Amino acid sequence: PRGLRRWLRSRPPRSRNHWIALVDPDMLALGPLSPSEPFRVAGGVVESSGVDLRLEDFPPSTALAHHFAFVPAMWRKANLSLEALCEGTDTGSPAETEEQKALAGCRERLRPLFEDPNLVAAEYSVGVPHIIRA
């Protein structure tokens, strides 16, 4: 985001309706974006969820990201085991390999995902901003 701000300062928008799209390969299957077509928006620039706004109505410096509703559903369906995921990671001896160092504290770091059923939906189901109004 800071690099994008610097880029915009050196190349100011030519109009009030200037947008930047960061295209990800999975976005190539999307249809064309129209400034007059409504988008379902929740959070951020709107105070309530489920508001329809047109791109041309968003305030400047607004960034839009995906909400992946399937992520929390798949997390619940995966039926993972904290014990199985972290097996052998907390041996009590100092970590020697890069893998052991990366997995140190596995149970403490992952436990909230298993204890709070809403955490995955609240924190891990939103993607990076892809469309930004300059």
Side-chain angles (χ1 to χ4, degrees):
R2 282 183 283 175
L4 194 52
R5 269 191 240 126
R6 282 193 302 270
W7 184 77
L8 282 170
R9 265 189 252 125
S10 67
R11 295 167 187 81
R14 291 179 287 251
S15 73
R16 182 179 149 0
N17 201 23
H18 191 92
W19 288 83
I20 298 152
L22 306 174
V23 181
D24 197 353
D26 65 340
M27 293 178 69
L28 295 176
L30 295 175
L33 297 174
S34 169
S36 60
E37 293 293 319
F39 279 80
R40 177 66 74 192
V41 182
V45 297
V46 295
E47 292 184 17
S48 60
S49 62
V51 174
D52 288 334
L53 282 178
R54 300 174 306 168
L55 285 177
E56 57 197 15
D57 295 332
F58 280 93
S61 301
T62 300
L64 305 176
H66 295 95
H67 177 256
F68 300 103
F70 71 90
V71 171
M74 292 304 293
W75 175 256
R76 287 187 296 274
K77 189 174 180 147
N79 196 24
L80 299 173
S81 160
L82 178 62
E83 293 306 313
L85 285 172
C86 296
E87 184 178 357
T89 61
D90 297 323
T91 60
S93 59
E96 296 173 7
T97 68
E98 289 303 313
E99 182 177 297
Q100 288 172 329
K101 290 175 187 174
L103 295 175
C106 177
R107 283 179 182 79
E108 291 74 30
R109 290 187 293 161
L110 294 182
R111 188 177 319 282
L113 296 171
F114 290 86
E115 291 177 347
D116 181 354
N118 298 315
L119 187 62
V120 171
E123 301 290 332
Y124 298 97
S125 63
V126 177
V128 297
H130 284 295
I131 302 172
I132 303 150
R133 184 165 201 166

